[in-house]
Amino acid sequence: MPVKNRFAELLPEITEWRRDIHENPEILFETHRTSALVAEKLRAFGCDEVVEGIGRTGVVGVIKGKSDNSGKTIGLRADMDALPILEATGLDYASKTPGAMHACGHDGHTAMLLGAAKYLSETRNFDGTVVVIFQPAEEGGGGGREMCEDGMMDRWSIDEVYGMHNWPGKPVGSFAIRPGAFFAATDQFEITVKGKGGHAAKPQETIDTTVMASHLVLALQTIVSRNADPVHNMVVSVTSFETESKAFNVIPETVTLKGTVRTMSKEMRDMAEKRLPEIAAGVATTFGGTADVTYFKGYPVMVNHEEQTEFAASVATKVSGACEEAPLVMGGEDFAFMLEERPGAYILVGNGDTASVHHPEYNFNDEAIPAGCSWWAEIVEQRLAG
């Protein structure tokens, strides 16, 4: 089952939608224009129901098949939000919003799901119901969690849910997926160490927080090297080191460290949350200071369900001829919240030889649109075959 001919026909139109969204990026939950555009198109396609304001600015569209003997409902999800990055692509349709750009391809995800929704509304060649889910605030805002907390899964009786992300470096239109843990849990921490400030020429009269914090940066790495089971994937990164003084001759009273913890299991996630403040307190005490730790739990591990992953891979193989096993990804993905509520799977579609995501020169590859649209449509038509 290769790429559907209808999506080849629709490619110029879907590309136009994608570039319009790219030109008008919106951050987190502020996807007002994008959400309105999505809702307008879903109504124009003839969706049976279109609801706005789910998860603040999320949009849900409902498409009923020619029959409903199965009684099943499949959810398809795309994210809509952009990133706070200054675009450097030089494209004719580059961002018109200073400091915001679609650097992760959510413009492409939204356009592809709109294309699939148009096709499914036209054909309705399935037995059951499709719910198309357009989510805000994937980039750190937890929009997926908020849509779930708004009761989306129960309100539309969603049985399974499927998502997709473009992947630079993979051939255009190719697919990759893996069962089980796929994307990492993404937690953050902030540690403020306090000592006694003073003149840099008289360190003996101070409790030096720069030395204290420097030792702490190194000590935190033992969470991975000495506390974690070596067979588990884990990352602890200190990404910010800020003193309260910018002077050359002042030992600061406080230093603040910030960073991230990435884990692939609940066991390792809980261990890191426990060990990080213990190590911070121990190091601070060693130097005569104190440490105040705040640990922010972010997205959970995104876990693909076995049966649905196997099915998603089989569909991808029919669309593109093959589906590779994807590597573990230490980045986060808030589709994890939806997969905690319902069985489903998340797949990668190749974006070709482009800049990586979150890069100012990144751009979604429109040549991937037919494959992405076809995968979503085939998920429905095969899972809800009459």
Side-chain angles (χ1 to χ4, degrees), residues 10-21:
L10 288 172
L11 180 56
E13 185 177 8
I14 299 172
T15 298
E16 186 178 342
W17 303 338
R18 201 280 297 181
R19 294 183 179 186
D20 176 70
I21 295 168

Side-chain angles (χ1 to χ4, degrees), residues 1-77:
M1 181 70 68
V3 167
K4 290 182 176 292
N5 290 335
R6 180 62 174 137
F7 293 120
E9 297 169 0
L10 288 172
L11 180 56
E13 185 177 8
I14 299 172
T15 298
E16 186 178 342
W17 303 338
R18 201 280 297 181
R19 294 183 179 186
D20 176 70
I21 295 168
H22 185 94
E23 198 172 26
N24 296 279
E26 296 171 301
I27 305 297
L28 293 171
F29 291 99
E30 300 302 312
T31 58
H32 303 291
R33 181 187 185 277
T34 308
S35 298
L37 175 70
V38 165
E40 177 187 2
K41 292 199 178 299
L42 293 178
R43 292 188 177 101
F45 300 160
C47 288
D48 298 281
E49 183 182 5
V50 178
V51 180
E52 300 174 70
I54 305 298
R56 298 199 228 178
T57 48
V59 181
V60 170
V62 179
I63 308 167
K64 297 183 182 297
K66 290 179 179 177
S67 59
D68 191 21
N69 296 319
S70 71
K72 292 182 179 179
T73 300
I74 299 294
L76 307 176
R77 172 270 202 179

Side-chain angles (χ1 to χ4, degrees), residues 302-314:
M302 191 190 75
V303 181
N304 270 346
H305 296 250
E306 192 86 28
E307 179 194 347
Q308 286 73 24
T309 300
E310 185 177 343
F311 168 66
S314 71

Side-chain angles (χ1 to χ4, degrees), residues 357-373:
V357 293
H358 292 220
H359 189 283
E361 295 181 0
Y362 165 86
N363 187 35
F364 178 83
N365 192 333
D366 294 319
E367 293 179 10
I369 288 172
C373 291

